[in-house]
Amino acid sequence: MAQKPAIPKGTRDFLPNEVAKRTYLFESIKTVFKRYGFAPIETPSFELSSTLMGKYGEEGDRLIFRILNSGEKMRKADLEALANDNLPKFASSLAEKALRYDLTVPFARFVVQHQHELTFPFKRFQIQPVWRADRPQHGRYQEFFQCDADVVGSDSLLCEVELIQIFDDVLTHLNIPSFSIKLNNRKILSGIAEVCGEADRIIDLTVAIDKLDKIGEEGVLNELSQKGISDSAVEKIKPLFQFAGSNQEKLQLMRSYLANSEVGMKGIEELEYVMNIVDSMGLKRADLEFDLTLARGLNYYTGAIFEVKANNVNMGSICGGGRYDDLTGLFGLKGLSGVGISFGADRIYDVMTELNLFPASVTKGLKVLFINFGESEVSTCLTLARELRENDIDCEVYPSAAKIQKQMKYANDRSVQYVVLLGEEELKAKNLILKNMSTGEQETLDYGSFTTKLLSL
RNA sequence: GAGAAUGUAGCUCAGUUGGUUAGAGCGCUGGUUUGUGGUACCAGAGGUCGCGGGUUCGAGACCCGUCUUUCUCCCCA
């Protein structure tokens, strides 16, 4: 009984045409990263569980794919923990390794482990797949690619400016028609919590505020009360909803709101510095927006927080990032500040597909196909094909003397650009017919001028 | 992790209150055209109706389970 072919949920196969488009996407991102001085690194697909667990919060831990111990290692299973109903501990004893959940935490591990081989500030980029045991949905996969650029070892806000420019450069290059870079600062969120007198509830507070545009003002207030935030704090949150207008106006409002919070004012200062420089330099296409409800990745971000959304498309954020002052501290290296961004390649791909933004040249097919007329003609074709290849021209000789009609259809289906017809007559006359498949025009060439002609096309 | 929908030919989908041999368009194969594709005409192949149970004289249709995909929540790229 033949097995029905299938792949696990949330994973995908990529056909040649899709690979061509994905390659274009990755190359575009890579080119910009390099343009700003970032160098590529790679890390293993899986890490020790202990490296990843606990870095993404409770929810994150649940979504980490764990790798079951094999062979003798299975004996390490902590049956006592199972008996005591301590499932997390039992699970950890069963799985010592796990697939990476993002590229940032492995990078922090990498920096600490190789600190003596690196020169700081260290700028790296990394384009590799990550895995999450999430429920698949539109734009959500269990295996997807992240394209990260991070700077560690510098707390200069110029890094933030540079990363915003990279967002703008890449997405403009990819011709995304309209997108917004949203900017916030963890210190501002801390300031809000402080002003409300709920400094230790910052996560509940910001997670609720983050949903403003989704569930509305009332929804947020309800959620806050539900989470046990005091009424007086909720009262203090309310005015935030009225904060609208230009970035400068919002900054002004926040300045008075956070006047009594030292950390909050520090956040304002940082944000303003970054915005002012970006404004003075200008952005190509991006719309830079101070969004005080933006509260992603709270587990390790300490300063700037970024998120990018494509406008007029039904898709979650396509990029994210932020500053983390203490990520390497978790692996024993204190006082090293990092800031980074991540492009969600698969989501950007989906957006570009939806908006039909891939240039036609990306999926252009093979340059030349030699039609096979039979044994006596094909050897001349093989010689000519070899000559083309020596000149870096991609070509192919059809492997059998099938009907011309069938060979032409094959050329057509593969979007071949030019077809060479070299049959009995041409062989006798020592020439060939070169046919342009898109225009249908054809011309007769002698063997000597053939390669030169193709090099000019 | 919670809730809801979905699955019929390679693809997009019809299929009436359960009733004989399960349909269409596109695609595919062959021919019209033994040296010309993307347009036309003719013919043909292709389905254990996601998988496993159950109800029934009888199930593509109803019930249960399971998997996939999609949507909402959660979270996120």
Side-chain angles (χ1 to χ4, degrees):
Chain A
M1 188 62 179
Q3 190 188 344
K4 190 174 186 180
I7 54 175
K9 68 176 172 189
T11 64
R12 296 149 298 158
D13 286 324
F14 300 110
L15 275 62
N17 186 317
E18 295 168 302
V19 171
K21 290 193 270 188
R22 289 170 64 86
T23 303
Y24 165 75
L25 182 55
F26 290 135
E27 287 303 318
S28 301
I29 294 170
K30 202 186 283 185
T31 303
V32 176
F33 284 167
K34 282 158 88 174
R35 192 81 74 229
Y36 282 79
F38 291 80
I41 68 158
E42 291 185 15
T43 63
S45 301
F46 54 94
E47 296 271 347
L48 295 172
S49 296
S50 55
T51 301
L52 305 180
M53 300 302 290
K55 308 298 191 298
Y56 309 102
E58 207 176 309
E59 186 69 20
D61 279 1
R62 208 166 52 83
L63 299 178
I64 292 172
F65 271 108
R66 292 149 158 271
I67 299 174
L68 187 63
N69 287 344
S70 48
E72 286 299 309
K73 283 194 169 174
M74 290 186 91
R75 296 190 195 283
K76 292 188 178 180
D78 188 342
L79 297 175
E80 198 178 321
L82 180 63
N84 294 332
D85 214 30
N86 187 345
L87 292 180
K89 195 176 177 201
F90 177 61
S92 300
S93 71
L94 279 179
E96 296 176 344
K97 300 183 284 286
L99 292 176
R100 64 169 165 246
Y101 178 88
D102 72 358
L103 300 178
T104 307
V105 169
F107 174 55
R109 187 229 85 217
F110 172 99
V111 168
V112 178
Q113 197 169 330
H114 298 281
Q115 55 186 289
H116 302 300
E117 302 161 71
L118 305 175
T119 305
F120 295 96
F122 179 60
K123 298 170 79 172
R124 82 87 171 79
F125 77 84
Q126 190 172 353
I127 298 180
Q128 290 192 280
V130 303
W131 294 268
R132 296 185 187 179
D134 207 354
R135 182 167 295 203
Q137 266 179 49
H138 180 61
R140 300 177 93 153
Y141 306 99
Q142 293 206 336
E143 178 182 64
F144 61 98
F145 274 75
Q146 289 196 330
C147 311
D148 279 29
D150 288 76
V151 187
V152 285
S154 167
D155 53 14
S156 166
L157 292 170
L158 289 179
C159 300
E160 274 85 339
V161 172
E162 190 171 273
L163 294 171
I164 289 169
Q165 287 181 289
I166 290 177
F167 279 141
D168 185 45
D169 279 7
V170 169
L171 297 174
T172 299
H173 174 81
L174 292 174
N175 207 19
I176 308 289
S178 169
F179 55 96
S180 307
I181 301 175
K182 295 183 179 183
L183 190 60
N184 196 6
N185 194 298
R186 171 70 185 263
K187 296 187 177 85
I188 291 177
L189 296 170
S190 298
I192 292 172
E194 210 171 278
V195 165
C196 297
E198 296 273 8
D200 51 340
R201 302 296 303 279
I202 176 167
I203 292 184
D204 285 336
L205 219 67
T206 51
V207 164
I209 296 174
D210 188 46
K211 293 178 190 164
L212 181 60
D213 53 352
K214 205 166 186 179
I215 60 179
E217 192 176 321
E218 209 161 311
V220 173
L221 295 178
N222 283 339
E223 178 155 338
L224 286 170
S225 309
Q226 250 169 35
K227 294 266 178 179
I229 303 292
S230 71
D231 289 350
S232 66
V234 172
E235 279 306 309
K236 291 209 172 91
I237 296 281
K238 274 186 181 170
L240 289 176
F241 299 143
Q242 313 308 324
F243 285 15
S246 71
N247 290 334
Q248 288 303 332
E249 287 164 347
K250 279 192 272 190
L251 271 172
Q252 195 53 50
L253 288 163
M254 282 311 285
R255 242 194 298 271
S256 55
Y257 183 86
L258 293 172
N260 295 321
S261 165
E262 196 183 325
V263 63
M265 291 308 283
K266 175 77 176 145
I268 297 279
E269 191 187 308
E270 290 183 10
L271 193 82
E272 189 168 25
Y273 180 85
V274 171
M275 297 239 273
N276 284 344
I277 298 187
V278 172
D279 277 349
S280 69
M281 308 221 351
L283 290 172
K284 291 173 179 167
R285 199 177 278 188
D287 175 32
L288 185 68
E289 183 193 340
F290 166 33
D291 180 354
L292 66 97
T293 70
L294 179 60
R296 28 161 302 112
L298 276 164
N299 296 82
Y300 48 72
Y301 291 132
T302 54
I305 302 175
F306 310 114
E307 181 170 293
V308 182
K309 253 197 80 37
N311 298 325
N312 312 317
V313 188
N314 172 29
M315 180 65 73
S317 56
I318 55 174
C319 308
R323 181 173 284 277
Y324 41 89
D325 281 328
D326 202 32
L327 198 56
T328 57
L330 296 168
F331 299 104
L333 181 57
K334 303 269 182 212
L336 201 62
S337 184
V339 58
I341 55 172
S342 181
F343 286 81
D346 300 85
R347 284 192 177 177
I348 295 172
Y349 179 93
D350 288 349
V351 167
M352 291 181 68
T353 302
E354 190 175 329
L355 299 178
N356 200 12
L357 300 178
F358 286 103
S361 59
V362 171
T363 47
K364 208 156 48 171
L366 182 70
K367 187 99 178 189
V368 181
L369 175 76
F370 290 87
I371 299 293
N372 186 332
F373 281 81
E375 282 301 319
S376 43
E377 294 89 356
V378 86
S379 63
T380 308
C381 290
L382 288 170
T383 307
L384 291 168
R386 181 181 183 153
E387 193 177 314
L388 288 187
R389 290 170 183 148
E390 294 295 322
N391 285 280
D392 300 329
I393 294 170
D394 303 342
C395 64
E396 171 177 324
V397 179
Y398 196 85
S400 64
K403 283 191 171 184
I404 310 305
Q405 203 176 68
K406 183 171 176 166
Q407 297 189 47
M408 290 301 287
K409 184 164 165 43
Y410 171 84
N412 198 55
D413 290 348
R414 288 201 50 193
S415 313
V416 169
Q417 298 171 55
Y418 297 93
V419 157
V420 169
L421 295 142
L422 199 166
E424 201 180 340
E425 285 173 37
E426 289 77 18
L427 190 65
K428 220 175 283 174
K430 293 195 184 340
N431 61 20
L432 55 80
I433 294 170
L434 180 67
K435 173 163 181 151
N436 179 327
M437 289 297 281
S438 53
T439 65
E441 288 165 12
Q442 45 189 58
E443 63 180 306
T444 304
L445 298 169
D446 59 51
Y447 302 154
S449 60
F450 175 59
T451 301
T452 322
K453 172 72 185 177
L454 273 167
L455 281 168
S456 73
L457 292 170

